[in-house]
Amino acid sequence: MSDPWFESKVAEEYGALKPQADALRDLFNNTPGATAQRLLSTVTATDDSDDSDDSDDSDWRLWNLLFDAAADFPGKHQTITDLFLVLRGTARPSLESAQNIQAKDSGEDETELMQRADQLMRRFPMDWRDRHDRLWAWHDGPRREREGEETSPGQQLINFTAFSAQLLEKVPEIEHLVFAFFDIRETREADWDESYGEASGRGKFNIELSAAAQWILHAGPVIYKVDNNMIADAWGKGLACETKLWKGSPGFSPDRWILWKDRFGAALQVDGLGDDAKSWASKAQEAMNYIEAKGTCNPGLLEGRHD
């Protein structure tokens, strides 16, 4: 992660606060707990009962910075995931095996530290969804040419999905579980001719297939064993939508898993499938077979990727 990248994040309109960028840059020479404390110190604690100042967006800027890093630097996903777990554990210290910042170590008042962390975590679902939806909507756009940003929008989608899947593997009850379902359904149950048949759609198909594979490769066991009751009732209508290839029960199911596995295999026969997308589809199909047999991810399938 280069200095120009961090400088660009601070310089852009509504960009990260400089102390946030500085703390994240130092993360890789520090512990997640120490970095989390520094990042939380940049979040302005607000009182929900006090609407005198609703203009502070320090928490939103922080999530944007972390999502940018996840989208641009896949080799840092584990480190950013560890940081997320510390922030979450600080907000909810009663969680089993919660990792958190101890007030005695940070020098901060414990209640204020928890309040800031809780405020940050309450923002997470909507900020995560906003980034997810924007990447899926704009991933086939042109590469950005600003200094320090060399990752194409398509690759950012793939990277961000891989990061999101790693969070899901660590925290199965996390709010974006339902989007794993939507992303895989939209790509693996799509009609090729209708959705991607035009020449201009081939690049789109390569990117979306690769992104959908990340959910399987990083969080496949969670998806394989998921109970639809884990998903909020508000998503019921979305889960129940039928597709051309699926008329069965709503949501996740063993039969639907088999359909998705077969569809990853069928994608390998599609004309115009790029080498990277072909590799991701093949690995996803192999991972699904491994999960069925062993119940866990096959780490060997990710060796040499996301460096």
Side-chain angles (χ1 to χ4, degrees):
M1 302 176 79
S2 64
D3 285 346
W5 186 89
F6 288 100
E7 291 166 2
S8 72
K9 295 304 166 188
V10 174
E12 64 188 21
E13 188 176 10
Y14 305 116
L17 302 176
K18 189 175 185 303
Q20 294 173 343
D22 290 343
L24 185 61
R25 176 166 42 201
D26 293 343
L27 170 61
F28 309 112
N29 299 313
N30 213 328
T31 65
T35 301
Q37 191 275 329
R38 288 178 63 187
L39 290 173
L40 287 175
S41 72
T42 72
V43 174
T44 302
T46 59
D47 185 344
D48 289 341
S49 65
D50 180 6
D51 59 1
S52 59
D53 182 10
D54 60 0
S55 62
D56 183 80
D57 58 1
S58 53
D59 42 10
W60 172 78
R61 289 171 187 258
L62 177 52
W63 281 128
N64 276 343
L65 176 66
L66 295 177
F67 295 154
D68 284 346
D72 284 341
F73 302 104
K76 304 301 184 184
H77 283 174
Q78 183 60 58
T79 303
I80 301 171
T81 297
D82 290 343
L83 173 64
F84 175 89
L85 293 175
V86 172
L87 292 169
R88 182 174 182 267
T90 302
R92 301 160 191 174
S94 61
L95 291 171
E96 183 178 356
S97 302
Q99 305 175 56
N100 62 329
I101 310 165
Q102 299 297 324
K104 61 182 179 62
D105 298 327
S106 69
E108 295 241 0
D109 176 80
E110 184 175 358
T111 301
E112 183 176 356
L113 201 63
M114 288 176 59
Q115 180 183 0
R116 290 178 178 178
D118 180 66
Q119 177 180 316
L120 189 66
M121 294 310 303
R122 282 187 284 111
R123 275 211 68 104
F124 173 78
M126 60 183 170
D127 289 347
W128 179 90
R129 183 181 178 182
D130 179 66
R131 179 58 61 96
H132 168 275
D133 290 354
R134 284 194 287 122
L135 284 172
W136 275 89
W138 299 104
H139 65 74
D140 53 348
R143 180 188 298 269
R144 293 181 296 178
E145 298 295 340
R146 289 180 293 183
E147 184 180 16
E149 297 185 4
E150 300 177 353
T151 309
S152 69
Q155 189 60 52
Q156 287 180 331
L157 171 62
I158 296 167
N159 293 344
F160 182 76
T161 306
F163 164 70
S164 300
Q166 289 173 61
L167 290 185
L168 178 59
E169 189 274 330
K170 295 290 187 182
V171 189
E173 69 274 18
I174 205 165
E175 294 85 346
H176 61 248
L177 169 62
V178 69
F179 289 92
F181 171 80
F182 291 150
D183 292 351
I184 300 171
R185 181 184 68 184
E186 292 307 307
T187 56
R188 302 322 316 124
E189 297 179 26
D191 182 281
W192 163 259
D193 291 330
E194 290 182 3
S195 301
Y196 305 105
E198 299 295 328
S200 60
R202 291 174 185 167
K204 178 180 171 70
F205 177 71
N206 277 268
I207 293 168
E208 295 185 356
L209 175 67
S210 300
Q214 305 308 312
W215 289 115
I216 298 297
L217 288 165
H218 295 280
V222 174
I223 295 169
Y224 183 58
K225 300 172 185 176
V226 73
D227 182 342
N228 287 309
N229 291 327
M230 294 171 63
I231 301 173
D233 292 342
W235 294 109
K237 187 174 181 180
L239 293 176
C241 290
E242 294 184 346
T243 66
K244 221 169 198 180
L245 298 179
W246 183 257
K247 307 297 182 185
S249 58
F252 295 97
S253 70
D255 288 341
R256 202 161 201 166
W257 170 273
I258 292 172
L259 170 64
W260 290 345
K261 182 176 69 173
D262 291 345
R263 292 290 289 167
F264 274 115
L268 299 175
Q269 309 304 317
V270 172
D271 290 338
L273 188 66
D275 290 342
D276 281 349
K278 187 175 294 185
S279 175
W280 285 128
S282 177
K283 286 177 182 291
Q285 187 182 43
E286 185 178 347
M288 296 175 91
N289 284 324
Y290 189 91
I291 291 165
E292 290 172 14
K294 305 288 187 179
T296 62
C297 288
N298 180 354
L301 292 175
L302 293 172
E303 290 180 359
R305 309 305 299 243
H306 296 319
D307 294 333

